Amino acid sequence: MKFGRLILAIACICFATNIVFSCRSTKATKDNAPFFRMTFDDAIARNDLGHVAVADINKDGKIDIIAGGVWYQNPGWEPHAFYVADTKKYIDNTLSEVYDIDGDGYLDILGDRTPVQGEIYSELFWLKNPGPPYAGIWEQYLMTTEHQFLEIIKFVDIDGDNRVEMITVDDGWGKNGGLRIYEIPSEPAHPNQQDWKWRWVVNKTLHGLAIDDLNNDGMPDIASDFRWYERVAHGEWIEHAMPAPPREDHGDSHKRGHLTMHSVIYDIDADGDKDILWARAHNYGIFWMESDGGSTPAFTRHEILPGQLPATIHGAAYGDIDGDGDLDIFAGKSRYKHNDPGERDPLDLFWVELVRSESEVTWIKHQLADDLNMGFGPAIADIDTDGDMDLIMGGMGHARAKPSQDEMIIFRNDLSNFLQPE
């Protein structure tokens, strides 16, 4: 074990070649793989919400990190600015989604600017990856101004036409929110953004987005905000309610429903059907919905570690953190002045380990930090290609976040060394 920690210390020093950051280890126990925390100081624009993405931007086989208007080149994490922030906007570049929009083989980056006072809609845009040498400010194209507060974007062939669509969820601030499906135009760089044609799945205020086949009919369904939307023939959708937790009518939560955020559809109990895992963005709790399977599944709600997890979990990501082959959770409390239940509770950043047996599902919480305000979009990826999954997050950098934090933080997983015999 001492050898593993020595390797961590050396790696931490080498990692600082091009960017100044601070390092400190988290608590290591027999049931918790050790992590090293690395903070990139002042890395992210001050008026964003801490959304990060991971992808190979420069096609060198290494996973880079995208945050705010900067992509960080692996392995030295040299910063490359690709976007000039619009500081007049209320929140600028709230998203850092990655997809090859124009099909040229290079990953492009999507961003979003939310309205200032007096404006109605936000602007969704994409920035074209220029290819080698991947430098300078990327060319920007407007996609739509139909949204009011875009929460999540996913790219999937939702209608079985062998073309990928863009699916968005928008809380709408009580107006014009919901789930939309966008057709990616054949010429996405065309100056007329109305080429991005869209249609509703549902027009109501929603949070959260997960997509997979929940009823085993071969067609992808959508889960959002303790509901699921069944895709049926002719492009129609049927809404199904799920057993939601009680709603507390104070703060912003009375406007925003039950409000899940980052969600995933996954067979949690390994019984052969698809369950749903999601966190609440404006109240307490992370829940999993147990499916009874079949063509008309019913769901049972289970709260994960009640009383042990914080409120207002806007940021959550899912992946195999401990290397045992199942899905774990990386999440943390966000403070953003919504006046929600638990808004001012202590900060809490953690990962939750899924433990499955033949008879039950159990969960174990491992705290990573108590001084970080989790941003809206963390990520899980093997950024150092050592065979285990690392944790990446951005702090809440907007002025309304208390505390406001501009940093990007990496928790480097040393599971590969941790499992070595002493």
Side-chain angles (χ1 to χ4, degrees), residues 354-422:
L354 169 60
V355 180
R356 297 190 291 200
S357 69
E358 292 184 2
S359 59
E360 63 179 350
V361 169
T362 56
W363 306 86
I364 302 171
K365 177 186 177 184
H366 306 282
Q367 190 176 44
L368 292 166
D370 60 5
D371 60 345
L372 294 175
N373 192 357
M374 170 66 94
F376 277 22
I380 299 175
D382 182 9
I383 59 170
D384 48 11
T385 62
D386 65 350
D388 48 41
M389 303 302 280
D390 309 296
L391 312 177
I392 306 99
M393 62 162 283
M396 291 280 285
H398 195 265
R400 290 187 67 185
K402 304 297 181 183
S404 177
Q405 294 174 330
D406 300 316
E407 302 89 354
M408 181 175 71
I409 296 94
I410 299 174
F411 289 90
R412 290 192 63 185
N413 190 344
D414 193 45
L415 179 63
S416 56
N417 279 321
F418 184 74
L419 295 178
Q420 297 283 339
E422 295 189 16

Side-chain angles (χ1 to χ4, degrees), residues 267-290:
D267 185 4
I268 292 171
D269 50 5
D271 65 352
D273 50 44
K274 301 288 181 63
D275 310 303
I276 306 172
L277 184 60
W278 44 31
R280 286 177 97 185
H282 292 273
N283 215 308
Y284 285 94
I286 299 179
F287 297 86
W288 72 280
M289 312 298 290
E290 180 182 1

Side-chain angles (χ1 to χ4, degrees), residues 3 66-67 78 93 95 122 129 133 138 141 149 163 207 214 232 240 260 276-277 284 307 310 360-361 363 381 388:
F3 177 74
I66 302 94
E78 179 184 357
N93 206 15
L95 291 166
S122 61
N129 187 333
W138 294 8
Y141 298 94
F149 200 100
R163 294 184 60 196
H207 258 239
L214 286 168
V232 294
H240 301 274
T260 59
I276 306 172
L277 184 60
Y284 285 94
E360 63 179 350
V361 169
W363 306 86
D388 48 41

Side-chain angles (χ1 to χ4, degrees), residues 153-174:
I153 297 174
K154 291 186 182 294
F155 292 90
V156 66
D157 179 7
I158 198 71
D159 53 13
D161 64 355
N162 296 316
R163 294 184 60 196
V164 171
E165 286 81 35
M166 182 176 73
I167 297 88
T168 67
V169 64
D170 177 15
D171 94 351
W173 291 344

Side-chain angles (χ1 to χ4, degrees), residues 83-360:
Y83 170 74
V84 178
D86 185 347
T87 56
K88 296 179 181 180
K89 295 294 182 182
Y90 171 59
I91 303 173
D92 185 59
N93 206 15
T94 61
L95 291 166
S96 296
E97 296 292 345
V98 177
Y99 187 75
D100 182 6
I101 294 292
D102 55 359
D104 64 355
Y106 297 99
L107 290 172
D108 308 304
I109 299 173
L110 284 76
D112 182 60
R113 289 183 287 262
T114 62
V116 296
Q117 188 172 5
E119 294 181 341
I120 299 176
Y121 297 112
S122 61
E123 299 171 346
L124 178 63
F125 55 91
W126 67 281
L127 297 120
K128 179 178 173 56
N129 187 333
Y134 309 93
I137 301 304
W138 294 8
E139 194 168 2
Q140 182 179 151
Y141 298 94
L142 182 65
M143 300 161 74
T144 180
T145 57
E146 298 288 342
H147 295 275
Q148 288 185 291
F149 200 100
L150 197 60
E151 299 282 354
I152 298 173
I153 297 174
K154 291 186 182 294
F155 292 90
V156 66
D157 179 7
I158 198 71
D159 53 13
D161 64 355
N162 296 316
R163 294 184 60 196
V164 171
E165 286 81 35
M166 182 176 73
I167 297 88
T168 67
V169 64
D170 177 15
D171 94 351
W173 291 344
K175 308 170 187 176
N176 208 34
L179 287 162
R180 293 177 173 92
I181 298 172
Y182 282 85
E183 300 292 337
I184 301 176
S186 57
E187 296 183 57
H190 193 279
N192 183 2
Q193 76 269 15
Q194 293 188 15
D195 288 345
W196 286 81
K197 297 180 173 61
W198 62 270
R199 59 191 183 274
W200 287 113
V201 174
V202 60
N203 178 202
K204 66 169 65 173
T205 295
L206 288 175
H207 258 239
L209 180 60
I211 302 172
D212 207 334
D213 182 6
L214 286 168
N215 59 347
N216 299 309
D217 64 355
M219 295 186 289
D221 307 301
I222 296 175
S224 180
D225 202 9
F226 294 97
R227 305 175 180 93
W228 71 280
Y229 297 88
E230 177 186 0
R231 183 181 163 236
V232 294
H234 309 297
E236 298 177 356
W237 298 84
I238 300 174
E239 179 178 305
H240 301 274
M242 292 185 184
R247 187 174 72 184
E248 299 180 40
D249 288 327
H250 59 279
D252 281 358
S253 58
H254 73 284
K255 305 174 187 175
R256 301 170 182 251
H258 302 287
L259 291 190
T260 59
M261 188 58 175
H262 295 283
S263 312
V264 67
I265 296 173
Y266 174 73
D267 185 4
I268 292 171
D269 50 5
D271 65 352
D273 50 44
K274 301 288 181 63
D275 310 303
I276 306 172
L277 184 60
W278 44 31
R280 286 177 97 185
H282 292 273
N283 215 308
Y284 285 94
I286 299 179
F287 297 86
W288 72 280
M289 312 298 290
E290 180 182 1
S291 171
D292 65 1
S295 60
T296 56
F299 292 87
T300 302
R301 185 184 79 242
H302 302 278
E303 185 172 3
I304 296 173
L305 299 174
Q308 298 183 46
L309 303 183
T312 60
I313 300 175
H314 273 86
Y318 307 93
D320 184 8
I321 296 171
D322 55 1
D324 64 354
D326 58 32
L327 209 65
D328 308 301
I329 307 167
F330 171 44
K333 177 178 177 57
S334 300
R335 284 190 186 158
Y336 186 60
K337 207 173 181 180
H338 277 303
N339 300 315
D340 292 322
E343 172 78 26
R344 307 312 303 169
D345 288 354
L347 294 173
D348 188 2
L349 189 81
F350 55 92
W351 71 279
V352 178
E353 176 186 354
L354 169 60
V355 180
R356 297 190 291 200
S357 69
E358 292 184 2
S359 59
E360 63 179 350

